[in-house]
Amino acid sequence: MSRFRLYDLNPEQQSAATHENGPLLILAGAGTGKTRTIVARITWLVSTGTPASKILAVTFTNKAAREMKERIRGMLNEEQADEITASTFHALCVRILRADADKIGYKNNFTIFDEGDQLGLIKKVINRVTAKDEKLDPGLAKNLISKAKNNGWAAPQDDETVIGAVYARYNRELHALNAMDFDDLLVQAVRLLNENQDVRDKWRARYTQMMVDEFQDTNRLQRDLGSLLAAGEPPNVCVVGDDDQSIYGWRGAEVSNILEFEKHFPNPKVIRLEQNYRSTNPILTTANRLIKNNPRRRVKNLWSSVPGGDPVHVVAVADDKTEAEFVVGEAGAIRNAGGIPWEHFAVIYRMNAQSRLLEENLRRMKIPYRLVGGKSFFDRREIKDILATITCLINPQDDISLLRIINTPPRGIGATSVEIALEHSAKAHRSLFETLTDPAFEPEVTRKTAAAIRKFAEDLAAARIHLLTPGADAYAIVNGYLSETGYFEDLKNSCKTPEEALNRESGAKEILNALATHQTKKRGSVQDFLDELSLNREREEDKKEDTTGLTLITLHAAKGLEFPHVFLIGAEDGLLPHERSKSEGTVDEERRLFYVGITRAMKSLTITHCRNRTKFGSAMSCRPSPFLKEIEGDTVLSESHEDIMTRPVAEEDLAASFASLRAMLAAD
């Protein structure tokens, strides 16, 4: 029995849920009940005679598909709910291809290559098509091929470029193996539907009502797939999205899909969901004031029927260390005043590396926290690499650290040679480094490998001598060693997206900045620096089982989430918007990213920016983000950290704080 009730919806949601035929574009602003509206529409379609088996809902993640199914089960009976298809784009493509891949030259039992399979094949192809003096990183090749496929670029017919030759050979080898990679699932499904009217008709008959969630995140292939599957004249396709929250352009998403919806589906009904059920009006007004500065957008104006709310607080702080201390202290004050659980708090930032100082302060204050959208700073690949490098420069006898860096970046010292060296070192009860640098070991490996080992040992020894010299500039020596060995370039090439490369580069800079800061403050030797970090990581291991607490999260990962109390840090020019966005012409997307951050807040929002931020071991002057100028108005209170710290505490605030503290102690 359906539990669907139209009067539970606001007028715009009702209109979207009960739209009968033809294209429908639902512009769902942040916190306006998007999922509720989609589920209500599916329920209304079933209740008015559309067979549940004829309804297709396409999402981006398996998690979103599962959540949608659960919501549908709460509205329809179990049998009807099970008949509705809620699927990701890739899962839908597999279903289409399994039935008819033979029509485009594949067997229907084709194999799907995961990333490991894909990388393995690319490595083989590179070895086959490149000359001895040509180099191409397999990870970089994989990323370029993926970008080419998603942009619809066919493999070149000639071998004028190395990457072109690899792309063409890789495609031929994949096809010969009757295999497809994840990008091929989209490419080949679109090709199959494009080239075969009978297949297209079959799937249009199979699903007469189609819904696409998060349409602003679709790329060209996903949009084409939707066009090919949409059934009816005019087509019954409903897309839901918000161009103001399109933040994945670096991943191939095309905001033009939602801005130019009418080009692909003429004469649609357009419904705007603007009533927000998440945030206070001051927060929403601030968000509206910001996003209207983007010239190409669908106009929306978020509002709440609930009056009141505190102004958005913009705080200028001296530096990033003060920023972290202020945010942690302010969160603690709000919690103590209201007896609020830590789970109600989130700190949001542009780059993963910004979490380090926050983590240090939270651990020192014994405040539980969880990282979302990335590993803990100290667990990240580049941080472990750099700390292992520093460890080897101090103590090359550390086998664990040496094993991590011996072929990172690639130096021509293969896994087999390392295994032989490990066997020898175990038998002789010597360190791996001593074994590798013993002339007696050279005959055990090829001349080329022996030369690579000698160069590695010589470079390490030279840098080590400099580092152990009294008064040495540890930051410059370690940074120089990493640069000369090609580590930074290799790190960049191994990333799947420009965003990942940017995050990893920021992480590497941040740990080197920490070394420089340690040195500047004369807190001891480089070994003391490593010991201090080891203790920090040990404390972190102790709390790994605890997955609750204050949330540390990037702006990208925060999309779709909400928190009662939000701190948005680092609102500085060059960080948000990121410096790269100015040269690439993507400042609009950075503004949308800031908008996403603002609209995560339910009750309170504090935005911070630094006058100085530590870069390359010294304080660098910062300018406030130009976005802060755009949000100025009666809903925003701007002040300095110094003003806050010198302001006398109101008696009622003091009394409330003591009362809360007494209650907490009593509960303990």
Side-chain angles (χ1 to χ4, degrees):
M1 178 66 71
S2 170
R3 290 171 285 282
F4 169 64
R5 299 183 305 185
L6 268 177
Y7 55 79
D8 287 338
L9 307 176
N10 68 36
E12 291 75 26
Q13 290 172 333
Q14 280 188 34
S15 180
T18 58
H19 173 69
E20 293 187 1
N21 295 302
L24 172 63
L25 170 59
I26 304 173
L27 294 166
T32 57
K34 167 180 70 86
T35 306
R36 182 189 196 192
T37 305
I38 299 173
V39 172
R41 174 158 179 74
I42 290 170
T43 309
W44 180 82
L45 287 168
V46 173
S47 68
T48 54
T50 302
S53 60
K54 297 279 188 182
I55 297 173
L56 169 66
V58 188
T59 67
F60 270 84
T61 64
N62 288 314
K63 181 172 178 279
R66 284 194 303 272
E67 287 174 357
M68 189 174 290
K69 271 283 197 180
E70 286 305 311
R71 296 279 285 270
I72 292 167
R73 282 195 182 94
M75 301 290 274
L76 297 171
N77 65 51
E78 195 168 332
E79 185 180 340
Q80 289 173 321
D82 287 341
E83 286 183 355
I84 290 163
T85 300
S87 166
T88 64
F89 278 102
H90 287 95
L92 176 62
C93 289
V94 171
R95 189 177 297 193
I96 292 167
L97 289 162
R98 285 288 180 219
D100 292 296
D102 57 306
K103 288 182 167 64
I104 52 170
Y106 289 84
K107 295 175 185 174
N108 290 348
N109 64 345
F110 61 87
T111 301
I112 301 171
F113 268 31
D114 62 20
E115 283 198 20
D117 300 325
Q118 191 182 359
L119 204 56
L121 179 57
I122 287 173
K123 285 177 182 175
K124 288 178 185 174
V125 168
I126 289 173
N127 289 334
R128 288 171 189 163
V129 306
T130 55
K132 285 186 179 180
D133 60 341
E134 290 178 319
K135 286 188 177 180
L136 180 61
D137 180 78
L140 176 63
K142 183 172 77 69
N143 297 340
L144 291 172
I145 290 169
S146 175
K147 184 177 181 180
K149 288 186 177 184
N150 280 287
N151 284 332
W153 303 335
Q157 300 303 306
D158 54 58
D159 293 347
E160 286 186 8
T161 64
V162 175
I163 184 60
V166 170
Y167 182 14
R169 179 74 176 262
Y170 168 72
N171 267 5
R172 290 198 299 272
E173 297 259 349
L174 261 185
H175 193 255
L177 292 165
N178 190 39
M180 297 186 200
D181 60 30
F182 262 62
D183 297 312
D184 282 329
L185 296 176
L186 275 168
V187 171
Q188 300 301 344
V190 168
R191 178 186 161 204
L192 173 64
L193 292 165
N194 245 328
E195 295 177 2
N196 296 273
Q197 179 74 45
D198 58 330
V199 177
R200 199 156 64 243
D201 290 344
K202 176 174 71 174
W203 286 97
R204 285 179 174 179
R206 172 78 175 81
Y207 297 117
T208 58
Q209 291 282 350
M210 180 171 63
M211 265 146 279
V212 183
D213 193 15
E214 303 286 11
F215 195 67
Q216 77 280 349
D217 295 335
T218 53
N219 62 24
R220 186 188 63 78
L221 282 170
Q222 289 159 337
R223 182 203 68 208
D224 290 349
L225 182 71
S227 297
L228 289 163
L229 289 174
E233 285 295 337
N236 291 317
V237 57
C238 164
V239 307
V240 188
D242 181 8
D243 52 300
D244 290 335
Q245 296 185 75
S246 180
I247 58 172
Y248 297 114
W250 50 273
R251 204 165 65 184
E254 297 188 22
V255 69
S256 59
N257 287 350
I258 200 166
L259 293 175
E260 299 168 8
F261 185 71
E262 290 86 348
K263 279 188 181 179
H264 310 289
F265 300 98
N267 304 313
K269 182 170 185 179
V270 180
I271 296 172
R272 288 170 169 78
L273 304 185
E274 298 173 306
Q275 184 174 354
N276 179 284
Y277 297 93
R278 174 189 297 160
S279 308
T280 64
N281 273 310
I283 292 169
L284 298 175
T285 302
T286 303
N288 291 333
R289 201 180 286 133
L290 170 77
I291 204 63
K292 74 178 183 183
N293 289 281
N294 268 1
R296 283 190 77 222
R297 63 181 289 263
R298 301 262 188 177
V299 177
K300 292 171 289 297
N301 197 58
L302 299 182
W303 60 277
S304 169
S305 62
V306 180
D310 295 330
V312 171
H313 200 186
V314 175
V315 181
V317 296
D319 52 40
D320 43 353
K321 183 175 179 293
T322 308
E323 178 183 57
E325 291 170 352
F326 167 70
V327 165
V328 172
E330 191 73 3
I334 295 171
R335 178 181 181 269
N336 292 341
I340 303 163
W342 284 117
E343 288 71 30
H344 285 202
F345 295 85
V347 185
I348 307 179
Y349 37 81
R350 177 66 178 86
M351 308 298 296
N352 274 309
Q354 290 172 261
S355 73
R356 182 182 69 85
L357 289 170
L358 291 162
E359 289 187 73
E360 287 181 1
N361 277 278
L362 290 164
R363 283 197 298 272
R364 191 176 69 249
M365 300 296 290
K366 294 184 170 54
I367 295 172
Y369 71 92
R370 64 190 187 113
L371 254 87
V372 180
K375 293 180 179 178
S376 168
F377 181 80
F378 300 105
D379 279 340
R380 293 170 62 187
R381 185 181 93 209
E382 67 275 18
I383 305 308
K384 287 188 168 185
D385 288 347
I386 292 172
L387 291 178
T389 299
I390 298 171
T391 301
C392 284
L393 288 170
I394 295 294
N395 174 24
Q397 314 301 323
D398 186 313
D399 283 1
I400 301 298
S401 295
L402 191 71
L403 282 168
R404 185 170 188 94
I405 71 162
I406 195 165
N407 212 34
T408 302
R411 295 183 169 90
I413 308 171
T416 305
S417 300
V418 173
E419 282 177 24
I420 294 168
L422 282 169
E423 284 177 20
H424 278 256
S425 68
K427 286 176 185 173
H429 302 290
R430 302 166 78 190
S431 74
L432 180 61
F433 187 75
E434 286 174 318
T435 302
L436 287 167
T437 52
D438 186 345
F441 178 71
E442 283 197 15
E444 299 293 327
V445 294
T446 65
R447 275 194 300 237
K448 189 177 177 183
T449 301
I453 291 171
R454 274 198 305 275
K455 180 164 182 6
F456 168 63
E458 287 166 4
D459 290 348
L460 194 70
R464 183 167 185 259
I465 288 167
H466 290 306
L467 190 62
L468 296 179
T469 303
D473 184 340
Y475 167 84
I477 293 164
V478 174
N479 187 60
Y481 176 79
L482 290 166
S483 298
E484 286 162 18
T485 59
Y487 175 75
F488 296 123
E489 191 63 29
D490 180 64
L491 183 68
K492 180 182 174 183
N493 290 341
S494 68
C495 295
K496 297 176 190 174
T497 64
E499 192 69 20
E500 184 192 352
L502 195 61
N503 270 312
R504 293 213 180 276
E505 181 190 7
S506 296
K509 285 179 180 175
E510 185 66 22
I511 196 65
L512 290 170
N513 284 341
L515 172 62
T517 301
H518 177 92
Q519 185 179 22
T520 303
K521 295 191 174 178
K522 294 186 171 60
R523 291 208 300 251
S525 67
V526 177
Q527 186 61 61
D528 293 331
F529 169 74
L530 292 171
D531 292 344
E532 191 179 301
L533 290 184
S534 294
L535 289 170
N536 279 338
R537 292 205 299 281
E538 195 174 305
R539 290 187 203 111
E540 192 169 82
E541 288 298 321
D542 290 343
K543 62 173 274 305
K544 263 193 176 173
E545 294 302 311
D546 185 5
T547 57
T548 60
L550 178 147
T551 297
L552 299 177
I553 191 167
T554 63
L555 281 159
H556 281 101
K559 185 170 173 285
L561 303 178
E562 58 183 31
F563 305 92
H565 304 283
V566 168
F567 294 85
L568 208 168
I569 69 170
E572 294 136 34
D573 195 10
L575 191 54
L576 183 65
H578 198 275
E579 196 64 43
R580 195 184 64 192
S581 68
K582 298 173 188 177
S583 58
E584 295 181 354
T586 55
V587 171
D588 283 9
E589 183 159 315
E590 294 285 302
R591 187 178 283 109
R592 292 194 290 267
L593 198 54
F594 192 31
Y595 174 84
V596 164
I598 290 171
T599 53
R600 300 311 94 198
M602 299 165 72
K603 293 180 179 177
S604 78
L605 172 64
T606 301
I607 301 170
T608 62
H609 62 96
C610 299
R611 298 189 198 96
N612 295 286
R613 187 171 289 277
T614 304
K615 294 176 185 175
F616 312 112
S618 58
M620 306 283 280
S621 179
C622 301
R623 295 188 307 273
S625 169
F627 297 155
L628 295 179
K629 193 77 179 168
E630 295 174 2
I631 66 171
E632 285 179 355
D634 57 357
T635 60
V636 175
L637 171 64
S638 297
E639 56 186 337
S640 71
H641 175 244
E642 292 80 5
D643 288 342
I644 295 168
M645 298 309 291
T646 55
R647 184 187 306 143
V649 180
E651 285 187 25
E652 58 268 27
D653 290 342
L654 203 58
S657 184
F658 278 125
S660 175
L661 194 58
R662 279 196 296 272
M664 286 171 64
L665 290 169
D668 289 344

